[in-house]
Amino acid sequence: MPSHGAPGGPEHAHHHAHAEPSRMPMWVAIALTIVSGGFVALQSRVNGELSRELDDFAVAAAISFGSGLVILSLLAVLWPAGRRGLARLRTAVRARRLAWWMLLGGVAGAWFVATQGLAAGVLGVALFTVAIVAGQTLGGVVFDAIGLGPGGRRPLSPTRIAGAVLALVAIGWAVSAQVAEAVPLWLMLLPFSAGVGASWQQAMNGRVRTASASALAATFTNFLVGTIVLVVVMLVHAASVGWPNSFPTAPWLYAGGAIGCVFIAAQAVLVRRVGVLVLALGLVAGQLAVALALDLLLPTSARPVGFATVGGTVLALVAVALASIRWRPARHLAAEVPAMPGAQPGDVSRAP
């Protein structure tokens, strides 16, 4: 039987054209995803507090994405390699090596930031993050299975499926502690959907990064699309309820965009190495650790962190460990799918 990945073997024949290898050691990649997850939780706290200070989630979200876009625009102007990456991206889209809809990862990012303003301050960062965890884990399983990320298709396994189910059980346990305290359950659906969207966003940004060979190009595209969406939402919202009466003066409340630049760029680089699911799971570990620390040390509400919230968080970590176990050697499974109209063999824009 031909060895895994050997020339002429089945794995070689089934290799996805868009899959890009990486020389980064796996343990380094996983460590960086955990650090990146900590930045996600920190941004949730910052954007949630800004939204509460402004009493306007739409303006807070637009400020977060817009400030990130300003930072990335300056980098693109000052860094020639970033400009070359944007030029390669434009060429890839025009040549249909990258489907245009893969540029829309920022839409999911905009929704993620909007839910931070809508729900993080009410739920607390820990409960908000548990909901994100469930969505990210489920999205990671699905998107890896269909090969949406730049690393190609990664097989489902009993442990991955069990980990995703356990993550859903974890969120149910964590929510149960808040039902008696009249926390609206619909608020939990917002971060859950944002978590699914975040996995899709990571896959799209990874594809853009691969096509452009530039993390800056992928991050800039993400923030450009997200800012456009959020500015439209802000204008519509302001037309109905008006603008905030005043803006807070604490500088740290405006750091959400800068924080987002860091972890979006990191995720765009890391997803091709670890895959969508393992990226989501590494982010989970960092998010949960920082989120619990923030809620315990710097709570945003008078409601204490309950046992069920802590237990649900621990159970979610167990789900992460379970889903990370390799049932068998990782390999890309082929899925015979039609190419997009006009696409050439091997195009990145082939349907996953």
Side-chain angles (χ1 to χ4, degrees):
M1 179 178 293
S3 62
H4 174 68
E11 298 297 355
H12 181 77
H14 290 165
H15 179 71
H16 281 222
H18 63 261
E20 180 187 13
S22 172
R23 296 180 180 179
M24 182 184 298
M26 180 61 78
W27 71 268
V28 173
I30 292 176
L32 290 176
T33 62
I34 293 173
V35 173
S36 182
F39 278 106
V40 175
L42 183 59
Q43 188 199 49
S44 296
R45 167 57 64 88
V46 170
N47 287 343
E49 286 294 300
L50 178 60
S51 176
R52 186 160 59 176
E53 291 281 342
L54 293 172
D55 194 24
D56 192 317
F57 81 93
V59 173
I63 288 174
S64 179
F65 248 78
S67 61
L69 180 61
V70 169
I71 293 171
L72 292 167
S73 297
L74 291 174
L75 286 175
V77 170
L78 298 174
W79 193 15
R83 295 196 299 273
R84 290 194 295 269
L86 289 170
R88 285 191 294 269
L89 177 59
R90 182 169 58 251
T91 300
V93 174
R94 287 179 176 176
R96 306 191 73 179
R97 294 194 302 272
L98 183 76
W100 65 267
W101 52 268
M102 292 181 178
L103 302 176
L104 301 181
V107 175
W111 175 237
F112 187 96
V113 172
T115 61
Q116 290 174 337
L118 285 167
V122 178
L123 297 173
V125 178
L127 194 56
F128 177 87
T129 301
V130 169
I132 290 287
V133 164
Q136 284 178 313
T137 304
L138 182 62
V141 168
V142 173
F143 299 141
D144 263 355
I146 63 178
L148 197 61
R153 188 177 180 188
R154 295 169 188 261
L156 286 175
S157 68
T159 52
R160 288 188 175 212
I161 296 172
V165 172
L166 195 58
L168 296 178
V169 173
I171 188 176
W173 187 13
V175 170
S176 68
Q178 311 300 334
V179 172
E181 300 182 25
V183 171
L185 291 181
W186 66 269
L187 275 181
M188 296 297 298
L189 296 178
L190 298 184
F192 175 80
S193 65
V196 175
S199 288
W200 181 78
Q201 176 193 23
Q202 291 149 12
M204 295 300 95
N205 289 347
R207 287 288 194 98
V208 173
R209 193 269 173 200
T210 299
S212 64
S214 170
L216 176 60
T219 310
F220 178 86
T221 303
N222 179 88
F223 273 81
L224 177 62
V225 172
T227 299
I228 292 172
V229 171
L230 289 172
V231 167
V232 172
V233 171
M234 178 184 68
L235 294 175
V236 172
H237 188 257
S240 60
V241 303
W243 296 94
N245 295 324
S246 62
F247 287 80
T249 58
W252 68 271
L253 291 173
Y254 300 94
I259 296 170
C261 290
V262 174
F263 70 73
I264 292 297
Q267 292 168 17
V269 173
L270 294 168
V271 67
R272 80 183 194 277
R273 178 66 179 97
V274 300
V276 181
L277 176 60
V278 176
L279 175 66
L281 298 178
L283 294 174
V284 163
Q287 284 175 261
L288 291 176
V290 173
L292 266 181
L294 288 173
D295 269 4
L296 290 172
L297 300 176
L298 298 170
T300 58
S301 67
R303 184 175 62 252
V305 177
F307 173 75
T309 301
V310 176
T313 301
V314 172
L315 190 60
L317 285 171
V318 174
V320 170
L322 179 61
S324 298
I325 296 173
R326 286 188 176 184
W327 182 259
R328 57 186 175 184
R331 59 180 182 176
H332 296 309
L333 298 182
E336 296 298 330
V337 292
M340 294 180 60
Q344 298 300 316
D347 279 358
V348 177
S349 57
R350 289 185 63 185

